[in-house]
Amino acid sequence: MSAVAATASVSCGSEARGESFRALLVAQREDCVRQRQLTVAEDTASPGDPVVAGRAADLLRTIEEIDAALERIEAGTYGRCVRCGGSIPDERLEFRPHAAGCVACARSGR
């Protein structure tokens, strides 16, 4: 296989991988937005509940992380650690598709 063909093959694989994760991320984002709307409505019904407020904040943070992951797909950097530049294993991305860091960086708190 020529170098050009090999590069095209990797590129197509990466595109297909990105599209697969994009669909998953979009679905997760829609679910988080729906859950956050319900949580905000609940907070309106019982204002001042710290558990409800914390849940709303967690969901907003997850939505922001998903948006950042979608931006990385667009930029062609999805699957690379934003801290060290290393590869994020597919297993980690399947478990947490909006992961920005590799396992080593996540463990070290970098």
Side-chain angles (χ1 to χ4, degrees), residues 41-98:
E42 183 180 338
D43 189 41
T44 303
S46 59
D49 184 340
V51 173
V52 174
R55 174 83 173 130
D58 288 345
L59 286 164
L60 181 58
R61 188 172 20 262
T62 300
I63 292 166
E64 291 169 348
E65 290 172 359
I66 290 170
D67 288 344
L70 290 167
E71 289 174 11
R72 289 192 300 277
I73 289 173
E74 289 299 316
T77 59
Y78 183 77
R80 309 290 311 163
C81 179
V82 298
R83 294 168 192 94
C84 72
S87 181
I88 301 173
D90 281 348
E91 295 81 11
R92 177 165 171 74
L93 292 172
E94 288 167 5
F95 178 73
R96 185 178 170 93
H98 56 278

Side-chain angles (χ1 to χ4, degrees), residues 2 5-6 20 24 27 31-32 37-38 40 45 47 52 71 77 96-97 100 102:
S2 72
S20 171
L24 179 60
D31 185 52
C32 284
Q37 289 170 339
L38 293 172
V40 169
V52 174
E71 289 174 11
T77 59
R96 185 178 170 93
C102 65

